[in-house]
Amino acid sequence: QRQVAESGGGSVQAGGSLRLTCVVSGYAYSHYCVGWFRQAPGKEREGVATIDSDGNPSYADSAKGRFTISKDNAENTVDLQLSSLKPEDTAMYYCAADLCWRLVQGAEEVRDWGQGTQVTVSS
């Protein structure tokens, strides 16, 4: 059974940092990706960063230079380091795992989601 679970959200002031962790289990196929999405109130869920099974990352423009995605294969975890946070980064952050093409296509195509973790950045 495939499972995805996040942790690590919280509240910080602008310019601060947070580290989100996603634990992924039950994926037998090698060509899956893990990604982080976020959804602010009244907005659509948007992709933030993804990492493939070989550890290659990709980032949304809003995340480049500030966020870093990494994985630990031994622990089956994928972390998202959030730095230089801005109030506009405030959102529920979701971890997702699926075949890579589904994450590339967008949130509508992704089948496996965590429950979400809230990130709040105050000015």
Side-chain angles (χ1 to χ4, degrees):
Q1 183 178 359
R2 302 195 299 263
Q3 292 185 323
V4 180
E6 317 92 333
S7 62
S11 297
V12 296
Q13 291 190 328
S17 299
L18 283 172
R19 190 173 188 89
L20 309 182
T21 295
C22 178
V23 179
V24 179
S25 62
Y27 289 81
Y29 44 86
S30 61
H31 296 296
Y32 76 91
C33 287
V34 178
W36 287 93
F37 291 72
R38 67 185 182 185
Q39 188 167 19
K43 294 188 176 181
E44 293 185 354
R45 193 170 296 189
E46 63 176 3
V48 176
T50 60
I51 192 164
D52 67 17
S53 56
D54 293 325
N56 299 306
S58 63
Y59 299 95
D61 288 343
S62 60
K64 289 178 181 177
R66 299 189 302 125
F67 298 172
T68 303
I69 190 169
S70 60
K71 66 185 300 186
D72 184 330
N73 289 329
E75 299 292 330
N76 289 332
T77 58
V78 173
D79 288 353
L80 185 67
Q81 178 69 41
L82 310 174
S83 302
S84 302
L85 282 163
K86 306 174 183 179
E88 52 263 43
D89 294 318
T90 295
M92 185 71 79
Y93 282 69
Y94 296 91
C95 184
D98 210 326
L99 294 170
C100 294
W101 72 264
R102 287 186 175 271
L103 270 82
V104 170
Q105 287 295 313
E108 298 82 6
E109 292 293 333
V110 176
R111 296 172 291 182
D112 297 327
W113 294 93
Q115 77 284 0
T117 186
Q118 179 67 38
V119 171
T120 301
V121 185
S122 58
S123 57

